[in-house]
Amino acid sequence: MIALASDHAGFEMKQEIGRYLEELKLPFKDLGVPSGERADYPKYGYLAAKAVASGECDKGIIICGTGFGISLAANKVKGIRAVVCTDCYTALLSRQHNNANILALGARVIAPDAAKLIIKTWLQAEFEGGRHQGRLDMITKIEEGKIDFIN
Ligand code: RB5
């Protein structure tokens, strides 16, 4: 299950991505915003992040004007690794190396067709584990205030 959320700036793209996920027969949960009326991105970043962190959804796709604000909010939730991607290379590496569990997109930055290619790349890519897992474990320690790997 994919958590899908946006603010007003990402609303149209969210709707289009929802249709795209339907085409791909990938189940998703639309967490809002429900219309294109002005909305605060922290709320929607948080809702998607909570859905992923709780295990209700395996991954999330979140959209605002740039992808920045909504990803900043999502990354405040423990266990969330949200990344803003504007191309397929960074989308691929964010899965292979960083095990990103939320993809953030900027509706004012990239075209809908580019967003779809990025999403397809991101959803198909697999985390490589190994040395990358150790680094993610270090991030988790930072999150938990257990910074015992310095020096
Ligand atoms: C809304 O105008 C805009 O600030 C928001 O969508 C996002 O780009 C913030 O990072």
Side-chain angles (χ1 to χ4, degrees), residues 6-10 38-42 63-72 105-109:
S6 76
D7 71 354
H8 58 286
R38 194 161 291 277
D40 297 322
Y41 58 77
I63 311 144
C64 67
T66 56
F68 291 154
I70 201 160
S71 63
L72 289 171
L105 299 168
R108 293 175 179 164
V109 181

Side-chain angles (χ1 to χ4, degrees), residues 2 6 12-14 22 33 37 47-49 54 61 66 85 87 94 126 138 142:
I2 298 168
S6 76
E12 291 299 334
M13 184 176 274
K14 172 170 72 67
E22 274 169 9
V33 59
E37 278 182 34
L47 289 176
S54 70
I61 299 173
T66 56
C85 294
D87 61 84
S94 77
E126 299 278 353
M138 291 165 84
I142 295 172

